[in-house]
């Protein structure tokens, strides 16, 4: 569970946003929306615990947390090698199966893949890693509609068993999610 209370974020003198009260349960999908530059990535990093420079309280009781950043990092080597650094046997097999289903050769050098293909590899290595909470920063970047629909379906289903917090600009297809949005520098839960 993550609890946010009376949080204010500044960069130097610049006020970015405020969040009075918000709770993320152990299971469920939370989608964070808002215009470019409003602070979505910053808020996600604060929830994860990477950014601790804020006023107020964020209490995170999750044990194992994993994050897909906006600009994923890759190691020299094949797509399969990059997956194998994060995934054990069975999840690795699953991830490779997905790559093959989208006609991506897992033995190709990661840097020879397109942006969308690399994004899918980055998503898979985070998604299939074991965690209690999964943070996804625009996992649909560069993806074609067919791949985006595939990963959104997986995310929606998986959120029945763990907490997933996702930043995205496009979530029309997703039905079962709580929406958190930035409005006038305030973070608000829809209907909350
Ligand atoms: N380390 C930093 N120091 C100063 N300003 C920063 C820092 N990191 C982010 N910012 C600023 O904070 C604002 C919010 O950035 P953030 O990346 O959180 O926005 P975002 O909502 O995720 O944007 P986008 O939708 O374009 O990805 C931006 O104006 C950015 O320039």
């Amino acid at each position: 569970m993550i609890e946010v209370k009376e949080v204010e974020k500044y960069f130097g003198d610049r006020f970015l946003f405020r969040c009075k009260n918000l709770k993320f349960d152990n299971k469920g999908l939370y989608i964070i929306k808002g215009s470019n530059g409003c602070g979505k990535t910053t808020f996600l990093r604060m929830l994860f615990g990477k950014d601790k420079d804020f006023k107020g309280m964020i209490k995170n009781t999750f044990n194992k947390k994993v994050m897909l950043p906006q600009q994923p990092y890759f190691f020299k080597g094949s797509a399969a090698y990059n997956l194998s650094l994060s995934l054990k046997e069975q999840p690795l097999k699953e991830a490779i199966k997905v790559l093959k289903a989208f006609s991506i050769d897992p033995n190709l050098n990661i840097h020879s893949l397109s942006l969308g293909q690399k994004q899918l590899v980055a998503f898979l290595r985070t998604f299939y890693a074991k965690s209690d909470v999964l943070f996804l920063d625009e996992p649909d970047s560069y993806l074609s509609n067919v791949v985006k629909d595939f990963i959104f379906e997986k995310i929606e289903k998986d959120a029945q068993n763990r907490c997933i917090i996702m930043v995205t600009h496009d979530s029309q297809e997703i039905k079962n999610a709580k929406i958190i949005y930035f409005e006038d520098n305030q973070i608000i839960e829809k209907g909350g």
Side-chain angles (χ1 to χ4, degrees):
M1 189 193 72
I2 303 176
E3 243 185 300
V4 182
K5 273 207 177 120
E6 302 294 342
V7 159
E8 285 184 6
K9 177 64 184 174
Y10 289 80
F11 278 119
D13 291 340
R14 182 186 164 207
F15 168 66
L16 195 58
F17 58 76
R18 172 176 296 115
C19 179
K20 279 184 183 268
N21 211 340
L22 209 54
K23 203 173 136 197
F24 299 84
D25 292 323
N26 288 346
K27 290 174 188 177
L29 177 56
Y30 297 84
I31 295 178
I32 302 178
K33 304 181 86 153
S35 54
N36 287 129
C38 66
K40 300 179 298 299
T41 294
T42 304
F43 186 51
L44 200 70
R45 288 169 49 82
M46 288 162 60
L47 293 173
F48 185 88
K50 277 183 194 261
D51 183 339
K52 296 185 193 311
D53 183 17
F54 55 84
K55 294 180 182 170
M57 184 208 80
I58 298 181
K59 187 175 159 195
N60 189 331
T61 62
F62 287 110
N63 285 321
K64 181 97 174 80
K65 44 191 183 171
V66 173
M67 165 122 93
L68 170 67
Q70 211 168 10
Q71 289 172 326
Y73 181 83
F74 296 100
F75 294 88
K76 273 187 193 164
S78 66
Y81 173 68
N82 273 271
L83 290 172
S84 73
L85 295 175
S86 308
L87 305 177
K88 296 210 169 74
E89 266 172 59
Q90 193 51 35
L92 179 60
K93 271 187 195 161
E94 290 284 325
I96 284 178
K97 208 166 103 184
V98 174
L99 287 189
K100 286 182 176 166
F102 286 109
S103 306
I104 302 168
D105 178 353
N107 296 314
L108 284 177
N109 187 307
I110 189 78
H111 295 298
S112 70
L113 299 183
S114 72
L115 282 174
Q117 290 172 323
K118 278 197 266 193
Q119 180 70 12
L120 180 61
V121 173
F123 169 77
L124 293 171
R125 78 175 167 193
T126 355
F127 182 81
Y128 284 113
K130 225 171 159 342
S131 77
D132 304 317
V133 59
L134 178 59
F135 297 84
L136 301 170
D137 199 349
E138 301 196 33
D140 50 321
S141 293
Y142 312 116
L143 298 184
S144 64
N145 284 339
V146 62
V147 183
K148 189 185 78 178
D149 289 349
F150 172 84
I151 71 154
F152 276 3
E153 202 182 309
K154 277 203 152 321
I155 290 167
E156 204 172 349
K157 199 166 167 204
D158 198 65
Q160 291 170 6
N161 295 309
R162 67 174 155 175
C163 178
I164 302 185
I165 306 173
M166 167 165 76
V167 172
T168 179
H169 290 281
D170 180 11
S171 63
Q172 282 146 330
E173 308 303 321
I174 297 178
K175 301 281 171 287
N176 297 311
K178 289 182 180 153
I179 309 293
I180 290 159
Y181 61 97
F182 283 68
E183 191 179 83
D184 300 332
N185 305 92
Q186 300 259 5
I187 303 177
I188 300 162
E189 188 174 333
K190 202 174 176 181

